[in-house]
Amino acid sequence: MTHYSRRRVLKMVGLVTIASAAGQLLPLPRLNAAQSLINVTGLDDFMQVSQLLTQQENLNATVGRALLLALTQTQKGFLQALTQLKTLLQNQPALLQQDHLTFAADADSEKLAKVILGGWYNGVVGKGNHALYVTYVNTLANLLVDDKLVPPGFSYGECGSWAQQP
């Protein structure tokens, strides 16, 4: 490859990188505007239900807001279903003491509870082409083991040190 060709390739890579970065940054004002549309009551209810389901008192409010936004986009009638789930959990706290999360009398609330838990633990809401990626490092699954394990994809050593046997 000649010097001229290399320079053209580097310019193209630079343009693609800038275009990709711009594409990632431009939707942010719309996201912030959409986040402000979620009323505080919806966020409070979501955080209360999330604390009950996860049995975690100190959930990250920023992650909670992002999960709430993703859930309202992927789950039809989410806020109404959330209110129903909150009422169910408050009226029947024994449901959360079971080995397996099952609500025999209310399958829709059980499904919603599992979707909420999946969002907190996996950082993804929805399935297939409609799945929304919310967080990775801040998932409860990673936070529960962060004192022992480095999140996958992160290497806290020199390049390639992860490949050497301990």
Side-chain angles (χ1 to χ4, degrees), residues 99-166:
D99 288 338
H100 299 286
L101 188 64
T102 55
F103 305 160
D106 194 344
D108 290 337
S109 289
E110 178 183 334
K111 181 179 175 185
L112 181 62
K114 290 178 179 181
V115 168
I116 292 170
L117 283 169
W120 279 106
Y121 279 92
N122 301 323
V124 177
V125 172
K127 293 186 180 201
N129 292 335
H130 302 290
L132 295 176
Y133 175 85
V134 177
T135 187
Y136 175 65
V137 175
N138 294 319
T139 63
L140 287 182
N142 279 332
L143 294 175
L144 291 174
V145 297
D146 71 349
D147 61 332
K148 302 286 183 212
L149 298 174
V150 176
F154 290 86
S155 177
Y156 294 145
E158 61 188 57
C159 186
S161 64
W162 56 269
Q164 299 170 3
Q165 295 219 359

Side-chain angles (χ1 to χ4, degrees), residues 10-160:
L10 289 174
K11 283 183 183 180
M12 291 299 289
V13 168
L15 288 173
V16 168
T17 303
I18 290 170
S20 295
Q24 295 296 323
L25 296 176
L26 289 178
L28 288 179
R30 286 183 280 169
L31 177 62
N32 290 336
Q35 282 182 334
S36 67
L37 294 176
I38 297 174
N39 61 21
V40 176
T41 305
L43 181 60
D44 289 343
D45 287 347
F46 178 71
M47 293 303 288
Q48 287 174 0
V49 168
S50 295
Q51 288 171 344
L52 290 170
L53 290 172
T54 63
Q55 301 293 302
Q56 302 284 323
E57 290 293 321
N58 298 321
L59 294 173
N60 184 318
T62 304
V63 173
R65 182 179 286 275
L67 284 170
L68 179 59
L69 178 61
L71 286 163
T72 56
Q73 291 177 357
T74 59
Q75 306 291 315
K76 291 183 180 180
F78 175 75
L79 292 177
Q80 292 173 341
L82 180 67
T83 303
Q84 182 178 343
L85 176 59
K86 179 181 175 186
T87 302
L88 178 69
L89 294 176
Q90 288 175 337
N91 292 337
Q92 299 180 36
L95 291 173
L96 297 172
Q97 305 306 318
Q98 304 175 84
D99 288 338
H100 299 286
L101 188 64
T102 55
F103 305 160
D106 194 344
D108 290 337
S109 289
E110 178 183 334
K111 181 179 175 185
L112 181 62
K114 290 178 179 181
V115 168
I116 292 170
L117 283 169
W120 279 106
Y121 279 92
N122 301 323
V124 177
V125 172
K127 293 186 180 201
N129 292 335
H130 302 290
L132 295 176
Y133 175 85
V134 177
T135 187
Y136 175 65
V137 175
N138 294 319
T139 63
L140 287 182
N142 279 332
L143 294 175
L144 291 174
V145 297
D146 71 349
D147 61 332
K148 302 286 183 212
L149 298 174
V150 176
F154 290 86
S155 177
Y156 294 145
E158 61 188 57
C159 186

